[in-house]
């Protein structure tokens, strides 16, 4: 149980760090502090659930795409978070791409 809680705290921290770095480096990404915590939780939860699911599908259907599961789950997490959190905005295709990559690298 303690191990699970430590992993959860580390993953949430890594997601928060990735989103902060993306907020600083990516021009089209804006993150307000009010919705930051909610956005981090949404992204982290979706990323952890979807990465496993995407990896399972990729292994069965297209093993070459297994490495893309993390990027895809990060993108979906950002997309859902932007739809649910008013303080998180991503404007432009390049901002979406860079925000996804930077946030994924942070995690």
């Amino acid at each position: 149980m303690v191990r699970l809680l430590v992993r959860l705290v580390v993953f949430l921290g890594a997601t928060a760090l990735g989103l902060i770095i993306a907020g600083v480096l990516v021009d089209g990404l804006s993150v307000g502090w009010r919705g930051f915590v909610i956005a981090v939780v949404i992204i982290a939860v979706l990323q952890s659930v979807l990465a496993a699911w995407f990896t399972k599908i990729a292994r069965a259907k297209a093993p070459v795409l297994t490495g893309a599961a993390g990027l895809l789950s990060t993108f979906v997490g950002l997309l859902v978070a932007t739809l649910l959190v008013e303080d998180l905005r991503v404007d432009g295709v390049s901002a979406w791409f860079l925000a996804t990559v930077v946030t994924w690298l942070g995690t």
Side-chain angles (χ1 to χ4, degrees):
M1 182 68 174
V2 173
R3 180 180 274 174
L4 178 65
L5 289 175
V6 168
R7 289 180 67 196
L8 176 66
V9 168
V10 168
F11 193 66
L12 286 171
T15 303
L17 181 64
L19 193 56
I20 289 170
I21 293 170
V24 170
L25 296 179
V26 179
D27 281 338
L29 176 68
S30 63
V31 183
W33 288 107
R34 289 186 317 203
F36 175 76
V37 173
I38 298 167
V40 166
V41 170
I42 290 170
I43 293 168
V45 168
L46 286 175
Q47 198 175 20
S48 63
V49 170
L50 293 176
W53 187 63
F54 289 147
T55 301
K56 183 178 177 181
I57 290 172
R59 282 187 186 149
K61 305 290 182 186
V64 174
L65 297 177
T66 303
L71 281 170
L72 185 57
S73 64
T74 302
F75 172 75
V76 172
L78 275 171
L79 179 65
V80 171
T82 57
L83 294 173
L84 298 177
V85 178
E86 290 182 23
D87 290 346
L88 177 63
R89 291 189 51 208
V90 184
D91 297 319
V93 175
S94 63
W96 274 104
F97 175 76
L98 291 172
T100 299
V101 171
V102 172
T103 303
W104 173 73
L105 286 173
T107 59

